[in-house]
Amino acid sequence: MRLGLALGYWGRGPDPRHLELAREAERLGYDSVWTAEAWGSDAFTALTWIAAHTSGIRLGTGIAQMAARTPTATAMHALTLDHLSGGRLLLGLGLSGPQVVEGWYGRPFPKSPLTATREYVDTIRQVLRREGPVEVDGLFHPLPYRGADGTGLGKALKPITHPLRAGIPLLLGAEGPRNIAQTTRIADGWLPLYWSPQRTGVHRDALADAPPGFLIAPMTRAVVCDDVAEGLLPVKAMLGFYIGGMGAAAKNFHADLMARMGFAEDARRVQRLFLEGRREEAVRAVPDAFADEISLVGPRERIAERLALWRAGPVTDLLVTAPDPHTLRVLAELNS
């Protein structure tokens, strides 16, 4: 199992620790470093900055939002950064949810998310293969555009720049069973949002047809500390926000996932409290057991025991959100 460093997206501004954490991860032998985006900082610019200050560690977008860019724009970002970094890019993509797609990007959330994802991936694959002009007879991402409001002058184009690699690894963030199953067919890997090494059966059917070499790269919060309850607080805060705030009462993919993992009643309670404006209560309502299952928190000995569970399952790459170099070093030693 390889280790990766997940830096996430910025808060109020750039985190001055991120570059040094990335460089320390490279020194410790971590395989990859990942950036993200929500509705603030973007994934590609921060990753390019890290690329310029590292030499070998692979560079992942975990995740870049599909609604933020047309598929050809994403493909241009990918081939550009792959060239500049000497072939180190891992392209992680996700659809996001209706609240972000419509509220931030001003686009309709696709009525058929699986079809929209397939078209997006197909377009990127065509660009990177550069075998001919890119053409997609799609419902959501048609190329050239043939809509009634167009000029009719659109022409299928072939990328001017020759991609460094036709096979840049493409991973998808997917949460629903059908979406995960499709991911095994059209992508090179999967970026799970929550992963419990004690509940791998939740995804067994969806992953049944995954081909050899398929990447499973969940993200987890990791911190070496003496007080487990205190160490879990950031995990619970994140869960409270995602389960309560990253969606609406009628449609929240994160709450649905927590429910499928055996915490349905807790998920709905967290969501209700958050939507009522009782955010601190929502965070406290996140079960310690769930937060603990999906993270690596506690003294070195405890983390060693729990890391063994992750290594025993199908995870190929463990992407850790770690707040300090010490935690990175401990995980590198335990995983060696």
Side-chain angles (χ1 to χ4, degrees):
M1 185 179 70
R2 294 176 293 261
L3 292 178
L5 170 65
L7 295 173
Y9 45 79
W10 296 350
R12 184 171 297 181
D15 190 323
R17 303 171 300 171
H18 278 183
L19 182 56
E20 187 50 42
L21 284 173
R23 296 174 74 174
E24 178 66 8
E26 181 171 59
R27 285 192 290 266
L28 291 169
Y30 278 60
D31 178 74
S32 57
V33 56
W34 300 72
T35 57
E37 59 190 14
W39 48 91
S41 60
D42 78 279
F44 287 101
T45 306
L47 201 60
T48 302
W49 181 254
I50 292 169
H53 291 83
T54 55
S55 59
I57 195 167
R58 293 199 291 173
L59 308 155
T61 56
I63 60 174
Q65 297 172 327
M66 296 184 203
R69 307 161 189 87
T70 64
T72 46
T74 295
M76 290 197 301
H77 276 295
L79 71 86
T80 302
L81 181 49
D82 202 48
H83 266 293
L84 292 175
S85 66
R88 290 191 276 154
L89 182 65
L90 297 159
L91 182 59
L93 301 172
L95 201 57
S96 193
Q99 293 71 29
V100 175
V101 173
E102 298 181 3
W104 183 248
Y105 295 114
R107 304 179 60 182
F109 188 78
K111 290 183 170 57
S112 178
L114 271 68
T115 301
T117 300
R118 281 198 306 274
E119 292 179 10
Y120 205 101
V121 170
D122 176 39
T123 304
I124 291 173
R125 299 285 203 198
Q126 287 192 51
V127 172
L128 296 178
R129 287 196 301 266
R130 202 179 176 272
E131 294 172 345
V134 179
E135 297 188 79
V136 179
D137 184 18
L139 179 64
F140 299 98
H141 303 290
L143 280 176
Y145 183 70
R146 303 295 188 196
D149 57 344
T151 64
L153 300 176
K155 177 183 177 181
L157 299 171
K158 187 177 180 179
I160 296 171
T161 304
H162 291 234
L164 181 65
R165 293 184 296 164
I168 293 175
L170 192 154
L171 298 86
L172 294 175
E175 295 184 46
R178 291 175 61 228
N179 201 351
I180 297 169
Q182 174 176 268
T183 297
T184 67
R185 297 190 295 272
I186 68 172
D188 302 299
W190 173 41
L191 294 163
L193 179 60
Y194 310 137
W195 180 275
S196 168
Q198 299 167 233
R199 300 174 190 268
T200 57
V202 172
H203 307 296
R204 183 174 293 115
D205 291 343
L207 292 170
D209 295 327
F214 185 77
L215 305 176
I216 299 177
M219 299 185 187
T220 186
R221 168 82 174 185
V223 60
V224 178
C225 61
D226 294 326
D227 189 329
V228 174
E230 183 179 346
L232 288 175
L233 287 177
V235 183
K236 296 180 65 168
M238 175 272 294
L239 288 168
F241 176 61
Y242 272 69
I243 293 163
M246 285 278 207
K251 188 180 286 290
N252 184 309
F253 301 136
H254 311 307
D256 293 343
L257 174 58
M258 183 176 171
R260 286 196 300 275
M261 294 178 73
F263 295 88
E265 185 176 338
D266 298 296
R268 301 311 167 199
R269 181 164 181 256
V270 170
Q271 188 179 39
R272 175 177 56 80
L273 289 169
F274 196 97
L275 293 176
E276 290 175 356
R278 300 154 67 183
R279 297 191 175 191
E280 291 185 6
E281 291 181 64
V283 171
R284 289 197 298 270
V286 174
D288 284 358
F290 181 63
D292 197 25
E293 281 187 27
I294 66 170
S295 59
L296 286 165
V297 173
R300 179 188 177 106
E301 296 76 16
R302 186 176 195 267
I303 288 179
E305 293 174 0
R306 302 178 74 81
L307 187 63
L309 297 176
W310 292 79
R311 289 165 60 93
V315 170
T316 61
D317 298 80
L318 183 60
L319 314 182
V320 297
T321 302
D324 61 89
H326 175 63
T327 296
L328 292 180
R329 285 194 295 272
V330 169
L331 286 173
E333 292 167 2
L334 293 175
N335 195 57
S336 62

